[in-house]
Amino acid sequence: SILMYSLMGVGAVTLTSTALVQGVMVLRSPAFALPPALKQGIGWGLVLTFGLGTGFGGYLSASPTGHWIGGQPSDAAGLAVVQWARDGGDLRVAHFFGIHAVHFIALFAWGLVVFARHVNVPGLSGHTRQWVWAFCAAYSAFCLWTFQQAVRGQPFLA
C-alpha cells in the first residue's frame, strides 16, 4: 500500500505539472486569440492550480494524521457531499480550492469580460486584466487562509 500511495503521488504531481506547462503556454503564446483578461485568467488559473494544489497536496500526503487535524479522525459527521470535518481542521479544504483555482479564476475572468462588454462602466473595459490579477491574489489568500485554518485545527464550516 505504501508503494501504491507513492505511485499515486507521482501521478498527481505529473498531472498538476501539466497544468503549469499549459498555463505558461496560454500566457506566452499569441496563438490563443482570447480577450486579454480571459487569457490571463485561464493562464494564471492553471499556474495557481499547480502551485496551490501541489503544495497543499504535498503537505496533506506528509501529514501523520491524514487530512484531519484535531477533532475526530472520521468523516462520518462531515459536511454534506464533501465530508470535510466539522469538529476540527481538514487539509482537504485548501487542497480542493487549490486544485480548482483554474475553474474559479477562469470563470471570474469570463464573467468579467462578458460584464465589461455589456455594461458601460467607465474605465472597466481597460482594467479587466488588473481585476483578474486582484482576483488571483484574493483567491490565493483565501486558499492560504483555509490552509492555516486547517493547520490550527479549526473547521472550514462548523
Side-chain angles (χ1 to χ4, degrees):
S1 90
I2 293 173
L3 175 63
M4 289 306 294
Y5 192 72
S6 298
L7 290 173
M8 187 174 69
V10 169
V13 171
T14 301
L15 285 173
T16 56
S17 296
T18 62
L20 175 64
V21 172
Q22 290 171 340
V24 171
M25 288 175 66
V26 167
L27 291 168
R28 295 187 67 185
S29 176
F32 293 95
L34 299 169
L38 183 56
K39 181 176 177 176
Q40 184 177 349
I42 293 169
W44 284 110
L46 284 161
V47 170
L48 287 173
T49 288
F50 168 75
L52 297 169
T54 304
F56 297 140
Y59 188 93
L60 179 105
S61 70
S63 176
T65 60
H67 58 269
W68 303 284
I69 298 182
Q72 294 294 323
S74 169
D75 293 331
L79 206 59
V81 181
V82 290
Q83 297 304 305
W84 295 336
R86 297 188 311 169
D87 63 348
D90 195 327
L91 295 168
R92 296 176 299 177
V93 177
H95 182 60
F96 171 84
F97 285 114
I99 285 293
H100 292 287
V102 65
H103 303 113
F104 288 102
I105 294 169
L107 184 62
F108 172 82
W110 174 78
L112 184 64
V113 167
V114 169
F115 182 75
R117 283 188 181 160
H118 292 84
V119 177
N120 187 16
V121 177
L124 177 63
S125 291
H127 298 326
T128 52
R129 289 177 49 189
Q130 289 86 346
W131 280 102
V132 172
W133 268 109
F135 187 79
C136 285
Y139 189 83
S140 297
F142 169 74
C143 289
L144 290 169
W145 174 76
T146 63
F147 177 72
Q148 285 298 315
Q149 186 182 40
V151 168
R152 288 191 307 264
Q154 300 170 337
F156 178 63
L157 297 171

